Amino acid sequence: MPCALYLLAMAVFAMGTSEFMLAGLVPDIAADLGVELAGTGLLTSAFAVGMAVGAPIMAVLARNRPVRSSLLVFVAVFLAAHIAGAVTTEFTVLVATRVIAALANAGFLAVALTAATGLVPADRRGRALAVLLSGTTMATIAGVPGGALLGAVFGWRITFWAVALLCVPAAIGVLTGIPARMRDAENRGPGLAAELAVLARPRLMVVMLLGALVNAATFCAFTFLAPLVTERSGLGDLWVPAALVLFGIGSCAGVTVAGRFSDTRPGIVVAVAGPLLCAGWFATAVSADRPAVLLVLVLVQGALSFALGSTLITRVLYEAAAAPAMGGSYATAALNIGAAVGPMVAALALGTRLGSLGPVVSSGVLVAVALLVASCGRAILRGRPSEPAVRVVATTCDG
């Protein structure tokens, strides 16, 4: 894999830390700013909505600009938003900074996904995506638990400052690792109207829906993992970073393994991981009062969530191959529609009799819906057998 991919992954690490870090900070933010615990889920949803809406918009704005300068602008805006979030005392302002940071993150990821697939041969897109997403998984292993630990010791604001500092080496990596004229080859591609028309393809829309549902399940449980660990299992606050590390280790393993199959045999990943992921969320709810079992399931669910999610997003990139400049934004939008819906569903579930178990039960339901969609969409998804993007879900439905 080209060195530039790993430099992009370093920037994704900084942004992934920000996107996931609220999982360990929501209780402290709620107490400090005087809002209800369920209300802090709005911070995650605001970020995800900004990502989902911003991805195609930012991709259009950056379409005719060099890749490197676009990525640098997005990193700079992201840094500024975190400085503003670190100093504010108003919850509404904090929400606004999350939206701005999300727009910058969306633009960066949309351009980076396109750049990553342009750096490798067409049949290695899945592995390139796995390298890029390793930044996110490393964020869940090191960045998010580290942020949770910093927040527990020094307060949640220091975590925002830490993310801002992470943007500096990320910007240096982009500046030194991405060719200045990388956009030239992409300018010879299809026009914007033709790339937007790709969204009308049923197979692309279905695979995007599946990716959104799986990611919604992931964020539904992950956003409120802290109260599950402390309230249901009875573990202390310092166990929250440990649980986040386990989830991150699992996610890294899941992306790594899935990346080796998502180009050639994606059906195996989806057919195996889908049902196991669904069952695992329900098992987490049942076993939440047993700390050792809960921590093992957190590890396993991290692996299954990211193996399945990354495979489906790779399928989005294959289906959107006719939209080389916009395809990355479609994948980003699919991921973050799910990331927006998940915390909203979790917040509603927290208000039910299930309490802190509500989010993980809801995650199981969301994955079950995804499996049902795959089954019901069998005729559409099969398409022509020669298209690799079709084979993934066709195999899933048959399995």
Side-chain angles (χ1 to χ4, degrees):
M1 291 287 108
C3 179
L5 273 177
Y6 295 95
L7 295 170
L8 288 174
M10 181 171 61
V12 173
F13 168 77
M15 296 183 176
T17 296
S18 175
E19 185 172 9
F20 285 94
M21 69 183 182
L22 293 182
L25 302 177
V26 288
D28 290 341
I29 293 175
D32 186 27
L33 299 183
V35 296
E36 294 182 359
L37 180 62
T40 58
L42 181 62
L43 292 171
T44 301
S45 292
F47 194 95
V49 168
M51 288 279 287
V53 174
I57 295 174
M58 295 297 106
V60 170
L61 292 176
R63 177 180 172 82
N64 294 318
R65 295 188 58 82
V67 167
R68 188 169 71 181
S69 63
S70 296
L71 294 176
L72 285 173
V73 168
F74 292 136
V75 171
V77 173
F78 190 81
L79 184 154
H82 280 77
I83 293 176
V87 300
T88 187
T89 58
E90 298 291 332
F91 182 71
T92 54
V93 174
L94 184 59
V95 172
T97 66
R98 297 303 287 167
V99 174
I100 294 170
L103 290 173
N105 193 354
F108 184 93
L109 191 56
V111 175
L113 283 168
T114 300
T117 57
L119 289 169
V120 298
D123 62 349
R124 303 192 75 186
R125 289 174 180 168
R127 296 194 68 176
L129 180 61
V131 171
L132 190 66
L133 289 181
S134 69
T136 299
T137 59
M138 287 306 298
T140 60
I141 294 172
V144 177
L149 185 59
L150 283 174
V153 177
F154 299 106
W156 64 270
R157 296 178 189 276
I158 195 67
T159 304
F160 278 70
W161 283 110
V163 170
L165 288 175
L166 283 174
C167 291
V168 176
I172 294 173
V174 170
L175 186 62
T176 58
I178 302 299
R181 298 178 61 82
M182 188 173 179
R183 177 65 70 188
D184 287 355
E186 294 169 15
N187 284 336
R188 295 194 292 270
L192 178 60
E195 294 205 39
L196 292 175
V198 172
L199 281 172
R201 297 181 178 180
R203 291 191 296 271
L204 173 59
M205 293 302 296
V206 171
V207 179
M208 287 178 65
L209 175 59
L210 292 173
L213 285 168
V214 169
N215 210 43
T218 301
F219 272 83
C220 186
F222 189 78
T223 301
F224 293 98
L225 182 60
L228 185 69
V229 170
T230 57
E231 294 177 12
R232 289 289 174 170
S233 70
L235 295 171
D237 291 342
L238 292 180
W239 277 97
V240 174
L244 295 173
V245 168
L246 288 173
F247 189 91
I249 291 172
S251 66
C252 185
V255 165
T256 301
V257 174
R260 298 183 178 278
F261 293 95
S262 57
D263 288 310
T264 57
R265 307 189 72 182
I268 292 177
V269 179
V270 181
V272 172
L276 288 177
L277 180 63
C278 180
W281 287 129
F282 291 118
T284 301
V286 172
S287 305
D289 59 345
R290 287 174 278 182
V293 177
L294 174 63
L295 293 175
V296 170
L297 284 170
V298 166
L299 173 70
V300 172
Q301 292 302 95
L304 293 172
S305 294
F306 274 74
L308 183 57
S310 64
T311 298
L312 289 171
I313 294 306
T314 300
R315 294 300 94 195
V316 172
L317 292 174
Y318 270 102
E319 282 292 348
M326 295 296 295
S329 71
Y330 302 157
T332 302
L335 279 171
N336 287 283
I337 288 171
V341 171
M344 293 178 184
V345 173
L348 292 174
L350 282 172
T352 67
R353 294 181 179 178
L354 291 171
S356 57
L357 294 179
V360 288
V361 172
S362 299
S363 292
V365 173
L366 286 167
V367 177
V369 172
L371 295 175
L372 181 62
V373 169
S375 177
C376 293
R378 179 179 308 182
I380 296 175
L381 294 169
R382 276 178 176 159
R384 294 191 301 272
S386 60
E387 297 184 15
V390 179
R391 286 198 294 268
V392 58
V393 187
T395 305
T396 304
C397 295
D398 290 341

